[in-house]
Amino acid sequence: MTTFMQWIHLSAAVIGVGGIAFLLFLLIPSARVLAPEQHDALLKRVQGRFRWVSWSVIVLLTGSGLYNVRAYYWELAWGRAWFWLTIKISLALLVFAVSLALTLPLPFLARFREQRERWLSVALALAMIVILISAYLRRG
Ligand code: HEM
């Protein structure tokens, strides 16, 4: 079961973070060659599809992450491992918040979507720190 949950957690992280990097480094810059109408239509369609990917990734990371906390940390006393895990989970929640702000179809979030690239860069940078802390926890 722990191997299965590790597989779910890693696969969701790869798809989620890889998806953000793909948007930021490949799709959004490449879409600039399109005429404005086509450009907007493409990004709208991508946003609609990315919504389901990112929401699924959030559910899977949270479910498998909580399982991992229960399996590996629950019995541990407060200390270095819990400290870094708490920072990791807080940063992961920030990444989720940015992803939701970019994908929830709520009118008041339109100003986030206008600065899509900036927020995707923030999410990617935070996610890279989350992966670094996860690697550190794994070795610890
Ligand atoms: C942006 C979101 C997240 C990313 C990119 C991420 C990524 C990772 C990665 C790459 C690992 C290492 C897995 C391995 O080496 O097998 C890991 C482990 C882990 N993750 Fe996450 N994770 C995220 C969110 C979460 C959340 C929300 C939780 C808890 C609710 C969580 C809890 C854990 C735990 C407990 C481990 C095991 C750490 C250890 O090896 O001691 N993760 N995560």
Side-chain angles (χ1 to χ4, degrees):
M1 187 64 172
T2 48
T3 303
F4 177 73
M5 283 300 183
Q6 187 179 4
W7 175 66
I8 295 282
H9 201 74
L10 272 176
S11 304
V14 167
I15 291 170
V17 182
I20 293 175
F22 172 77
L23 288 178
L24 201 53
F25 298 137
L26 303 175
L27 190 123
I28 294 176
S30 307
R32 291 203 187 100
V33 299
L34 297 173
E37 270 170 37
Q38 289 176 313
H39 177 268
D40 292 351
L42 175 69
L43 285 197
K44 208 169 172 199
R45 174 63 77 95
V46 168
Q47 188 179 310
R49 299 186 72 90
F50 185 67
R51 186 172 289 160
W52 294 108
V53 173
S54 58
W55 292 355
S56 308
V57 162
I58 289 173
V59 169
L60 291 174
L61 278 175
T62 306
S64 56
L66 288 174
Y67 177 91
N68 284 339
V69 171
R70 184 76 191 85
Y72 304 120
Y73 288 82
W74 211 243
E75 315 294 340
L76 290 184
W78 173 261
R80 187 184 55 82
W82 264 112
F83 172 79
W84 286 108
L85 182 69
T86 306
I87 293 185
K88 175 217 154 117
I89 293 176
S90 308
L91 293 178
L93 293 180
L94 279 178
V95 176
F96 296 166
V98 172
S99 302
L100 289 173
L102 289 172
T103 54
L104 282 173
L106 299 172
F108 78 95
L109 293 172
R111 60 201 171 95
F112 277 100
R113 287 190 284 275
E114 282 161 16
Q115 299 197 308
R116 195 186 276 117
E117 275 186 87
R118 167 181 294 185
W119 288 108
L120 282 173
S121 305
V122 169
L124 185 62
L126 292 174
M128 294 310 291
I129 299 172
V130 168
I131 293 175
L132 179 64
I133 298 174
S134 305
Y136 173 71
L137 285 170
R138 187 84 191 155
R139 302 279 152 207

